[in-house]
Amino acid sequence: MFIFSFLILGSAVPALAVDLPSAAAVAGAAPERQAVLRIGRIEAGPVRGQRLELRLSESAGGAGPRLSLSAAGLELPALSLRLRAVDWACQPVLDTGQRLRCEGEVRLAGRPQGRLAVDLSEAASRMAWSGGGRGVAVAKDRQSPWHIDLRQVPLRWLEAFLASLWAEGRIAGGEVSGQVRLPEAAGLRVEAELRFAGLGFDTPDGRFAGAGLSVPLTLRYHDAAGGQRLGLEGRLSAGELLVAPVYLAVPASGVAFALEGEAPPGVPWRFPRWAFRDAGVLEASGDAALDATGELVRLSADWASADLRLLAERYLGGVLAPTGFGDLQLGGRGGGTFAYDEEGLRRLELELGNARAIDPRGRFSLAGVEGDLRWSRDEAVADSRLAWGAAALYGIGLDASHLDFRSARGQLDLASPMRTGVLGGELRLERFQWRPPRGTAPLRIEMGLALERLDLGALSQRLGWPPFEGSVGGVLEQAVYQDNRVVFGNGLAMTLFGGRVRLDDLSVERPFGIAPSLAANVRFDDIDLSPLTRAFGFGEITGRLDGRLRGLRLVDWSPVAFDARLLTDRQWKGRRRISQRAVQDISDLGGSGLVAGLQARLLRTFDDFGYERIGIGCVLKDNRCMMSGLKKRGDGFLIVEGRGLPRIEVVGFRREVDWPTLVDRLRAATRGESLRIE
């Protein structure tokens, strides 16, 4: 009986490697005869075992032989399957073809865990486990490689094998069904047709994750002396996928993908080919490479999209959100090429057809965009052009125009200035330079532009300002965007209300992000007060205004700090008159109004008054405004110094004013409301 049991085991596991710590023992006494084989370690193809005991027994009553197997551990490394405290017993049946079959219950640590069936012969062998709707079958014959059939196998059983392909990945759930072939070859060779369901995974750094993924997949993997090779072809048919910064909720139509990789000994993974296809939305292919730490160090792609709207909705939200354009609406068709290496972006090409881009926040819009853009860090490329049929900046329409580009010295420049009509005037983009990040050097954008003769009334209407009159122009000689900050090198000069406005030390932080911040110093020279005050509905004052705002700081475009001082120009030779309405409004702002009751009667008698000077100041800090005037006057400060007859003066008495309250007073004054200060 011992010889028979040994022959059974030998036929089941060709290429048997056995370590016998003790000799096999034969024991038997009526009423039962049995043979026992104890094995310390066994390796047979994909199966390993430790401390096995094989027992074949036969009762004297003629009930037939009984085979039992116990093992301290059984392993199937290809599946990362490790079983402890295994017990299995069955009733062997030998058919006429000399094939031995045996099936019985499996217990792990004393608990039932499905059924195991073994089918053995000299020509072939098969072992199958099933339980709870799951199953694993392992088969081998002399003419073909090992076969493994899987049915709803938990992916945690494959953890070790998957870790050999992707050490950073962590399996979070799911199961797999399909077939795995293990051809006999040097090293480990795997060929598989698999169907993943409910696949979940992530990485510790959060850059890659998946949930509820359904993926039919073809896998080829070979790990030998010449290195590792990998081939994948599959289709995402359900679930969610994150490949930072791209997040994809898999569409019902599914997306196909393919990947070919190789890793020679001592060399990180290279991927000579990858492909991705979301029919009608995105088709892309290229190559890639990783470094020794698993970081992506090279990537190239050719891509095309017949529907930029769907492309933005499915793939670009996570890419655009950090720039402040996560809800950007795109349309039309596009395509192009990009290449990336260890130093950064190496090549960029873009082709657009009838494209559009609309910012829901109203910052800009483009429509009818046609043409291409070409840039290369190291190679010469042809000049390119992008043209548009309609455009707008903050609701201000721009006429149709185009941008001509030239790539040289690793940067993209305007080949010639761009001109476009705007609000009856002209916008000129004199200079534009774009240099992408390279190594430790950050992204840098530099530009210079000029505005000429813009209709101030139309501009006011578009921006919701008071109805100003006249025209406005200005020059922005140099603006540099770098490290999420815009610095205006030579300030910004503008002509406005017949005078000049200049902004120096001007910078904007996070211009497209959360809570943008602006800092500047502002000077006003010879601003014509008459159209300015009429537009604001602030009565009417004739004359010229000078002033400055030092340390101006805006957060989310609202003032949080400044030191402001506004004064009428004493050198002005024309009429200096202030209307009754303007006197009252200035009095309300200054607090406690006019100097004496006599002046209140004068207001009811005369429409306007002469003035010598007008001056008011405000230092804003911690949401409080410390107010001042021309000079001290008793317990207050003089705001309007009268001149001639009838003579009137305005004195303020409240030096500290809550900033929101002051803003409300200004709004009330411009609406013509009567606002009295208690």
Side-chain angles (χ1 to χ4, degrees):
M1 299 301 290
F2 167 77
I3 298 298
F4 179 59
S5 64
F6 187 84
L7 290 175
I8 292 174
L9 183 61
S11 63
V13 284
L16 183 64
V18 180
D19 178 14
L20 296 175
S22 61
V26 179
E32 182 179 76
R33 295 176 296 171
Q34 62 179 353
V36 178
L37 177 63
R38 296 185 177 89
I39 304 173
R41 177 180 59 84
I42 185 172
E43 297 182 9
V47 181
R48 300 174 185 171
Q50 299 85 37
R51 293 165 54 194
L52 284 79
E53 181 177 285
L54 182 65
R55 185 183 299 270
L56 182 64
S57 60
E58 185 176 8
S59 65
R66 178 178 177 81
L67 183 65
S68 63
L69 174 68
S70 64
L74 286 177
E75 298 181 14
L76 198 60
L79 296 180
S80 302
L81 182 61
R82 294 178 177 83
L83 306 177
R84 297 291 180 260
V86 181
D87 288 293
W88 172 62
C90 65
Q91 198 82 27
V93 176
L94 189 63
D95 64 16
T96 56
Q98 299 301 305
R99 182 183 297 273
L100 179 65
R101 295 187 176 90
C102 201
E103 181 177 351
E105 183 180 67
V106 176
R107 303 178 75 86
L108 299 179
R111 297 182 179 181
Q113 296 290 337
R115 298 183 65 80
L116 176 66
V118 177
D119 189 352
L120 305 175
S121 71
E122 292 187 4
S125 60
R126 176 180 175 82
M127 180 175 64
W129 169 86
S130 61
R134 299 189 174 104
V136 178
V138 181
K140 176 71 173 74
D141 61 38
R142 292 179 179 176
Q143 285 74 40
S144 63
W146 287 88
H147 288 263
I148 303 175
D149 292 322
L150 308 173
R151 185 174 73 252
Q152 298 179 6
V153 173
L155 285 172
R156 63 180 182 272
W157 293 6
L158 292 168
E159 189 172 359
F161 173 66
L162 294 175
S164 68
L165 299 179
W166 187 24
E168 296 81 10
R170 300 183 301 194
I171 299 299
E175 57 187 28
V176 61
S177 301
Q179 297 77 42
V180 180
R181 299 173 66 247
L182 302 172
E184 294 183 357
L188 175 62
R189 187 180 184 91
V190 180
E191 298 172 357
E193 298 286 340
L194 303 172
R195 298 179 300 280
F196 293 91
L199 171 60
F201 65 88
D202 62 10
T203 58
D205 58 15
R207 293 184 302 164
F208 303 93
L213 293 169
S214 294
V215 190
L217 178 71
T218 298
L219 165 70
R220 302 181 308 279
Y221 175 75
H222 189 196
D223 184 0
Q228 303 178 78
R229 291 185 178 274
L230 172 69
L232 294 174
E233 291 185 11
R235 186 175 188 84
L236 300 172
S237 56
E240 301 170 274
L241 178 66
L242 172 67
V243 181
V246 177
Y247 164 79
L248 172 64
V250 179
S253 57
V255 295
F257 63 90
L259 179 69
E260 294 179 2
E262 57 187 23
V267 177
W269 277 100
R270 300 191 299 255
F271 302 98
R273 175 182 174 269
W274 63 266
F276 185 91
R277 185 173 187 270
D278 184 349
V281 180
L282 176 62
E283 297 193 21
S285 61
D287 61 56
L290 306 179
D291 64 13
T293 66
E295 292 289 330
L296 184 67
V297 293
R298 191 180 77 242
L299 176 68
S300 70
D302 296 313
W303 68 276
S305 175
D307 191 339
L308 293 176
R309 178 184 65 85
L310 286 177
L311 178 71
E313 291 177 359
R314 291 186 187 176
Y315 298 97
L316 299 184
V319 177
L320 296 175
T323 67
F325 296 100
D327 52 358
L328 184 66
Q329 298 173 2
L330 298 181
R333 63 185 183 278
T337 299
F338 71 84
Y340 169 93
D341 61 17
E342 294 92 335
E343 294 186 58
L345 191 63
R346 181 170 54 86
R347 186 179 182 90
L348 178 65
E349 295 185 3
L350 178 67
E351 297 179 4
L352 297 174
N354 194 27
R356 63 183 179 276
I358 300 173
D359 176 21
R361 305 182 196 180
R363 290 171 291 185
F364 73 91
S365 63
L366 287 166
V369 183
E370 300 274 354
D372 59 359
L373 182 151
R374 287 186 290 271
W375 170 86
S376 174
R377 189 184 66 202
D378 307 311
E379 302 172 357
V381 295
D383 290 356
S384 52
R385 168 179 285 192
L386 285 176
W388 62 86
L393 291 173
Y394 290 95
I396 302 170
L398 305 177
D399 293 347
S401 188
H402 62 270
L403 293 165
D404 293 319
F405 293 107
R406 176 170 299 151
S407 173
R409 304 179 304 278
Q411 67 186 29
L412 187 71
D413 295 274
L414 273 184
S416 60
M418 182 276 293
R419 297 172 180 265
T420 182
V422 51
L423 297 178
E426 184 180 71
L427 166 65
R428 297 195 309 274
L429 184 62
E430 304 281 5
R431 186 175 71 260
F432 177 86
Q433 295 178 350
W434 174 81
R435 184 182 291 272
R438 182 172 183 178
T440 58
L443 167 69
R444 179 183 172 89
I445 300 174
E446 184 174 338
M447 60 187 297
L449 57 84
L451 298 170
E452 290 187 359
R453 305 179 309 279
L454 271 63
D455 186 326
L456 188 53
L459 177 64
S460 303
Q461 183 180 16
R462 300 293 194 283
L463 298 180
W465 291 351
F468 296 136
E469 299 174 356
S471 63
V472 62
V475 177
L476 178 62
E477 295 184 12
Q478 183 189 50
V480 177
Y481 174 83
Q482 186 170 304
D483 294 326
N484 205 19
R485 187 168 183 257
V486 182
V487 176
F488 299 82
N490 295 320
L492 172 62
M494 301 176 62
T495 58
L496 185 67
F497 295 116
R500 298 172 299 281
V501 179
R502 182 168 183 85
L503 287 80
D504 291 306
D505 305 315
L506 177 59
S507 65
V508 181
E509 297 181 2
R510 304 176 302 280
F512 306 114
I514 298 174
S517 173
L518 179 146
N521 290 308
V522 187
R523 287 204 321 268
F524 306 92
D525 292 304
D526 289 332
I527 302 297
D528 190 341
L529 279 168
S530 182
L532 177 65
T533 53
R534 282 200 311 268
F536 275 108
F538 198 80
E540 183 176 7
I541 305 174
T542 62
R544 296 283 174 160
L545 177 70
D546 297 332
R548 47 88 173 154
L549 275 78
R550 294 176 180 166
L552 174 63
R553 183 169 178 81
L554 280 66
V555 175
D556 205 12
W557 311 118
S558 296
V560 295
F562 59 72
D563 180 354
R565 182 84 172 158
L566 303 177
L567 295 167
T568 52
D569 187 352
R570 299 188 70 173
Q571 306 302 318
W572 171 247
K573 301 302 183 181
R575 295 177 70 247
R576 280 180 267 177
R577 305 293 291 180
I578 180 169
S579 71
Q580 177 196 96
R581 165 73 186 282
V583 170
Q584 186 64 63
D585 289 339
I586 292 176
S587 174
D588 290 340
L589 291 178
S592 298
L594 306 176
V595 168
L598 174 61
Q599 296 192 132
R601 289 193 294 271
L602 289 175
L603 278 178
R604 293 192 293 268
T605 305
F606 297 94
D607 292 330
D608 61 14
F609 307 87
Y611 72 87
E612 180 66 27
R613 288 188 300 166
I614 301 174
I616 192 167
C618 168
V619 177
L620 177 63
K621 184 179 180 181
D622 297 330
N623 226 25
R624 306 290 292 178
C625 184
M626 298 300 297
M627 301 192 69
S628 61
L630 294 167
K631 56 186 176 181
K632 289 184 178 181
R633 177 63 60 87
D635 293 333
F637 51 93
L638 182 64
I639 300 175
V640 178
E641 181 180 2
R643 176 184 182 185
L645 294 175
R647 186 181 182 88
I648 196 166
E649 291 186 336
V650 178
V651 178
F653 292 98
R654 189 158 185 176
R655 291 190 174 275
E656 184 173 325
V657 181
D658 180 71
W659 173 251
T661 300
L662 184 60
V663 172
D664 288 341
R665 292 176 188 171
L666 284 167
R667 289 173 177 166
T670 58
R671 290 194 298 264
E673 300 174 4
S674 177
L675 176 65
R676 303 306 299 166
I677 301 174
E678 301 297 336

